[in-house]
Amino acid sequence: MTNQATLERWINPDLSTMDDLLEELAIQSPQADAFAGNLAKRGREIILALRGELQKVICCSSEVLEHSYLSDEIADKLALVAVIASLIPEEMGKAMNATLVAAILVRIGIRRFCESGLK
Amino acid sequence: MITPKLIYEVWLKACRTYGFDPVELDEEAKTLLHRQSFDIAGIDASIKHMNMLRDNVPGFFKECDYEWAFDANVWRKSLEANFQARAFQQLSSLWSLPNKPNNLEFSNVVLRYTFASNVDPCTPNYITYEDISFLRMPYSFSEMVMLFTRAFSDIVKCNADMWEFKLPNDDYVSPYIKQILLRHLTDDNFHSSDPGENPADTVKRESGWFSDATEGTKKQDNLEILLSYSLIDFAIAHELGHRLLCHKHNENNYLYRDQDKEIEADRLGFTLYATSWGWRDEIIAENLLSEGARILVGPLIFHMFNEWYMTLKTAILLLKKNSNIATSAKYSTQLKSDVSESKKRFIQNMELVNKYEQSILAKGYRFSQTDRNAFTSLATSMAKFNECLVPSVQSIPEHDFHLALAAGKSQLFG
């Protein structure tokens, strides 16, 4: 379970960068690379590969849509993170921290995330 | 017992969990990209190769439960089947040795080719998921191997019985190096599932300096074949080393950057690579080195490939700082640490290369003074190529550098 201080750090752009979050995501992936590389890029790769699956469960959710129009206040963002984390597929959420994935999506912006990659 | 159906289900689950392949979760993309007409012939050829191996070492395939590999439906791309056949070549050669190390695990290795386009890192990697050990071979690795070996061959020429590094002029930057730089600089804004123009193509159209960046269409020359085959096979060997040693993830479920385990995989990978050199020799025979010396190219190019890429990344970081572009202090620190790790591994592996030279001489194989001179000239040329990468990056005009950085800025992540 992610503690409150960590969650607030993830959500607040004054306390963490997007790369910080993506790096934390990358180190949860159980792959061993032959040589070192940029962890933030690896984190990006994970989100983009899972984008379609995440869009299916998040972008049509009425609860997410309601929350995504709230203010930029931290408390509202934390509520949105909780809603999104609860929608993340179980297998994905068990292996990688669902709250972290949700925090990344909130930092990206739900509308921007849901409109990205459209063919 | 592993079956094609089980492999399909487990890999799909792994991809749904960790995002290992952007195409695996996209049915439309899979229909377009998997098992294209040119893949079918390649898959059949690789299964023929596996059949030859099975005729020679039947016990390996039976004992290690690899009958599934002979079902063509398990392979989605010809390269994927080819890489698996090469892995079998290495595994079966070591398995056959009466004096092989104890407690090695030879079974359950499945190669998967993925359409991952991330270039940093781009090297193959190893994942165990539900007792299957997947060796993931990203598209970007094949791409970078091709570009680096092409760039090297563009500048290094064969001269009598040695290789010689020779730039056409002091300002020359190979168009293949430009393509590598362009891919690195625009990578964050490029993904196979994003519509629209590839940002690298946008920059080529708008930039004078990058306009001749190219992947090239020429057939591979003998030097490229020698380097690319050796590099890919040694990379496979390294990952197989992790599997054979049953390297597991720690309690936090990641293996990332356990230096000791990487060096163990290098060492066992070297043994795998050296033990299986015979078949590879037919493909890379046409060059200056004789059989015994060719084996040494594998560990050399494996580590030099990483050195070249580290040099490019460091040079790009420096150019950003000199251009007053904000950079992450954390990334700078991580890159310094990665460079230090890389150098330590390089020294250890070159010690192995020296020991190998002594052992092949002791076994009566040919490794003449001519071989020694040619191999030294190749290693020297690789070092000089490494040195030329820094001025190549520094010669990017400011306008074109900013153009590439702007094109590479991620629309999604900012």
Side-chain angles (χ1 to χ4, degrees), chain B residues 166-342:
Chain B
K166 196 169 178 137
L167 286 172
N169 57 65
D170 287 345
D171 297 331
Y172 181 73
V173 180
S174 168
Y176 307 113
I177 291 178
K178 290 186 183 182
Q179 181 69 19
I180 293 167
L181 287 169
L182 201 48
R183 274 286 276 126
H184 183 84
L185 291 170
T186 59
D187 193 33
D188 282 353
N189 198 23
F190 169 65
H191 194 264
S192 52
S193 62
D194 282 337
E197 186 178 44
N198 184 328
D201 292 337
T202 308
V203 176
K204 277 190 226 185
R205 215 185 38 252
E206 296 176 5
S207 157
W209 197 83
F210 282 110
S211 61
D212 63 336
T214 182
E215 292 178 350
T217 52
K218 68 178 180 72
K219 204 174 148 198
Q220 279 185 313
D221 64 27
N222 289 334
L223 181 57
E224 285 175 64
I225 292 171
L226 169 67
L227 296 179
S228 60
Y229 256 84
S230 303
L231 170 51
I232 290 174
D233 266 12
F234 201 88
I236 290 174
H238 169 89
E239 298 307 327
L240 288 175
H242 280 303
R243 166 54 185 156
L244 288 168
L245 292 166
C246 295
H247 282 165
K248 296 216 184 304
H249 306 109
N250 68 20
E251 61 186 11
N252 292 319
N253 202 30
Y254 68 89
L255 190 61
Y256 192 79
R257 305 333 312 156
D258 184 328
Q259 171 91 283
D260 291 338
K261 287 194 163 74
E262 293 305 324
I263 291 172
E264 279 177 11
D266 284 341
R267 289 181 187 274
L268 187 54
F270 188 88
T271 303
L272 272 165
Y273 184 83
T275 307
S276 65
W277 63 268
W279 80 274
R280 196 179 300 115
D281 225 42
E282 293 172 14
I283 299 161
I284 60 174
E286 297 295 326
N287 64 79
L288 296 178
L289 301 169
S290 56
E291 292 168 323
R294 281 177 214 138
I295 192 67
L296 300 182
V297 175
L300 176 67
I301 183 63
F302 180 68
H303 288 279
M304 285 312 300
F305 174 80
N306 186 51
E307 284 292 298
W308 293 339
Y309 208 27
M310 288 284 180
T311 300
L312 274 181
K313 290 200 294 187
T314 307
I316 288 170
L317 185 63
L318 199 54
L319 188 59
K320 282 182 180 173
K321 285 180 178 173
N322 291 344
S323 307
N324 296 317
I325 294 167
T327 56
S328 157
K330 204 164 142 190
Y331 175 67
S332 299
T333 307
Q334 183 62 54
L335 187 55
K336 270 191 200 147
S337 167
D338 292 345
V339 167
S340 167
E341 175 202 319
S342 162

Side-chain angles (χ1 to χ4, degrees), chain B residues 31-89:
Chain B
T31 307
L32 284 170
L33 295 170
H34 285 174
R35 297 181 70 83
Q36 295 173 291
S37 54
F38 61 82
D39 285 313
I40 306 301
I43 289 168
D44 286 345
S46 293
I47 291 179
K48 279 197 180 88
H49 179 179
M50 293 181 206
N51 270 311
M52 280 167 46
L53 283 173
R54 186 165 57 178
D55 288 341
N56 286 338
V57 199
F60 165 75
F61 287 90
K62 199 168 173 195
E63 185 179 302
C64 301
D65 186 24
Y66 281 122
E67 292 304 317
W68 56 264
F70 297 89
D71 182 339
N73 292 316
V74 84
W75 307 113
R76 298 91 47 86
K77 298 296 294 176
S78 59
L79 262 185
E80 184 172 80
N82 176 265
F83 292 149
Q84 184 81 40
R86 287 154 84 162
F88 281 157
Q89 190 78 53

